Amino acid sequence: MDLVLGYVLGLASALPFLFVFRMRRSAAPPNPTAAAADAVRDGGVRTPDRRIAELTETVTELGEEIGGLTFDPAAPGVPPESMKDYRRVLDGYANARDALDSRDFEQVRQELANARNALVRMDARAHGLPVPVDVSRAARERGEPPGPQPLSNRRFSYSGSNERAYTVPIDWPEPGRSAIMEVTRNGTGSTEFNSVLVRAEQSRPKTLRTRFLGGSARARFYLETTPDVFEAPTHLRIAPDEVHRGTGAWTVRLHPLSEAVELVREYQGSGAEVLVYRAKAPAVLGIHVAGPSGWEVEYRCMREHRRWEQCRFGRLRTLMYDLRDEDRRSARICGRGLIVVHAAGSARWSLSAAPEQPASPSGPLSGIRRLFEV
């Protein structure tokens, strides 16, 4: 009971700070302080330090998210692991504020990452998803130096260097549903963007899917979770390609599936993309790809079939094409569903969708039927 009371008091102690942060944001114009801006003289004009401003905004958003939590540490049946993570969230938020006041920027990012990782684990338990392991904490417990934390100026967005490896717990925009992983890369060489599963703190990550992006490019990949796949990923591992190592930076942004590009009649694009076709009736999907060979197109049926209907695509992903020689194809699709394009960044493609035409009658009685239809 004392432990539960301590968590409740911890939340209560955080609420005044949330109120102060909201008051600071509403004041206009705010006076630059050590926690908000670093004023420098430039031709008589005082310019705020963008780095401090961004970190202040991130800490503020974390505080507002904590204030909006529905988690009740005193509720019956709360997992003790979630109560520990709840304390880590509060501690990380308080420590990040203190480090911001002392301008210890690296400590601010570390505390924000600790709090964010704890929130991700709490969210996963609440929605029955695989719980991501805190790989940084596990490394420290084994006496190893923890890996670098990516920069995260806002939720669902991460950035880092192409020269280092990062492991990020997946913060699903819609828990229990797959997502879109938008990747931007600048520089030389190539980088791996892997979805991995970490079962326990002592086990090695299991790579479930590997995606490469080289040079300066942008791509939108489909990030699977249950029930689309048997083994759902818990982390993203972003690392330089061992064969084509390079320099530069990357950014990853997670989007909900509601932000997929809509295919109405025709759409042209390049590289990897996630689209949605919303019409309910069956259609013919036309594909034309111009660029390097080895492209793929997946269709994931989202139509609700009747009990006696059998969907030829099934529940899981269906690979429609994996072509090396042909660049134009067409196929029948059930209707509403996701269309995932896998292609090199230099490849350009065009998709078209047209309602399926009813089959013309055939057989010995077809002529008689046409007489009655006139």
Side-chain angles (χ1 to χ4, degrees):
M1 187 65 185
D2 293 338
L3 179 61
V4 172
L5 180 59
Y7 284 114
V8 175
L9 293 177
L11 176 60
S13 65
L15 293 179
F17 293 108
L18 304 183
F19 177 76
V20 170
F21 268 114
R22 290 192 178 95
M23 291 297 292
R24 287 182 179 177
R25 295 184 72 186
S26 62
N31 293 324
T33 64
D38 188 21
V40 294
R41 184 71 62 179
D42 183 13
V45 178
R46 298 181 66 83
T47 305
D49 188 325
R50 177 189 295 181
R51 184 172 46 175
I52 298 181
E54 289 179 348
L55 287 176
T56 300
E57 183 70 14
T58 305
V59 174
T60 302
E61 291 177 353
L62 174 63
E64 292 177 345
E65 187 176 350
I66 295 173
L69 284 178
T70 58
F71 177 77
D72 182 7
V78 173
E81 295 83 3
S82 292
M83 299 178 74
K84 292 180 181 178
D85 280 329
Y86 180 62
R87 169 53 62 185
R88 293 189 182 108
V89 171
L90 295 179
D91 290 344
Y93 171 65
N95 295 337
R97 287 193 348 266
D98 295 340
L100 189 61
D101 288 335
S102 60
R103 301 192 181 188
D104 188 344
F105 305 134
E106 189 62 31
Q107 185 65 26
V108 173
R109 296 191 179 98
Q110 183 65 52
E111 296 296 342
L112 287 173
N114 292 341
R116 173 59 55 202
N117 295 353
L119 282 173
V120 171
R121 291 192 296 272
M122 292 173 61
D123 202 46
R125 292 189 195 95
H127 292 89
L129 296 174
V131 181
V133 172
D134 188 344
V135 291
S136 297
R137 184 178 299 275
R140 289 195 297 270
E141 291 176 354
R142 293 195 298 265
E144 303 173 3
Q149 292 287 348
L151 301 182
S152 180
N153 292 331
R154 54 179 177 169
R155 193 175 180 186
F156 311 121
S157 181
Y158 312 91
S159 59
S161 168
N162 291 329
E163 304 173 56
R164 307 174 71 175
Y166 304 81
T167 302
V168 185
I170 300 177
D171 189 5
W172 296 98
E174 297 174 310
R177 296 194 63 193
S178 300
I180 300 172
M181 181 173 66
E182 181 177 348
V183 177
T184 303
R185 186 189 188 280
N186 298 290
T188 63
S190 62
T191 305
E192 297 181 11
F193 297 88
N194 303 328
S195 53
V196 301
L197 170 63
V198 184
R199 301 181 185 276
E201 296 182 357
Q202 292 76 21
S203 64
R204 294 176 59 86
K206 179 180 180 180
T207 301
L208 301 180
R209 186 147 190 178
T210 300
R211 304 169 179 86
F212 291 92
L213 201 64
S216 297
R218 171 187 172 275
R220 284 171 35 113
F221 301 109
Y222 185 72
L223 186 62
E224 301 167 300
T225 188
T226 52
D228 287 349
V229 288
F230 177 72
E231 290 184 313
T234 56
H235 294 75
L236 296 177
R237 178 168 174 78
I238 300 101
D241 181 15
E242 292 300 326
V243 178
H244 303 98
R245 298 181 69 90
T247 61
W250 56 263
T251 298
V252 170
R253 170 74 175 166
L254 300 182
H255 300 272
L257 287 181
S258 58
E259 296 185 18
V261 174
E262 184 172 5
L263 172 62
V264 180
R265 290 181 298 274
E266 185 176 326
Y267 187 86
Q268 297 180 354
S270 61
E273 186 58 270
V274 181
L275 304 95
V276 61
Y277 183 67
R278 302 188 188 280
K280 297 180 180 180
V284 175
L285 178 68
I287 306 171
H288 180 200
V289 179
S293 61
W295 54 270
E296 300 176 356
V297 174
E298 298 175 9
Y299 170 72
R300 298 169 180 264
C301 181
M302 299 169 58
R303 178 183 172 187
E304 295 183 1
H305 291 270
R306 297 184 179 91
R307 284 185 299 176
W308 58 84
E309 287 183 327
Q310 288 188 352
C311 176
R312 61 184 290 259
F313 297 100
R315 293 183 56 191
L316 302 180
R317 69 173 185 160
T318 298
L319 179 62
M320 294 182 60
Y321 302 112
D322 182 5
L323 305 178
R324 296 326 192 251
D325 302 322
E326 300 180 64
D327 62 354
R328 295 175 185 264
R329 289 299 295 267
S330 62
R332 176 185 180 274
I333 59 177
C334 294
R336 182 171 177 267
L338 290 174
I339 301 169
V340 184
V341 179
H342 302 275
S346 58
R348 298 194 59 81
W349 45 263
S350 175
L351 299 180
S352 62
E356 184 182 33
Q357 299 297 324
S360 58
S362 59
L365 299 180
S366 59
I368 299 177
R369 291 195 189 97
R370 284 196 292 270
L371 289 176
F372 283 100
E373 291 173 356
V374 175

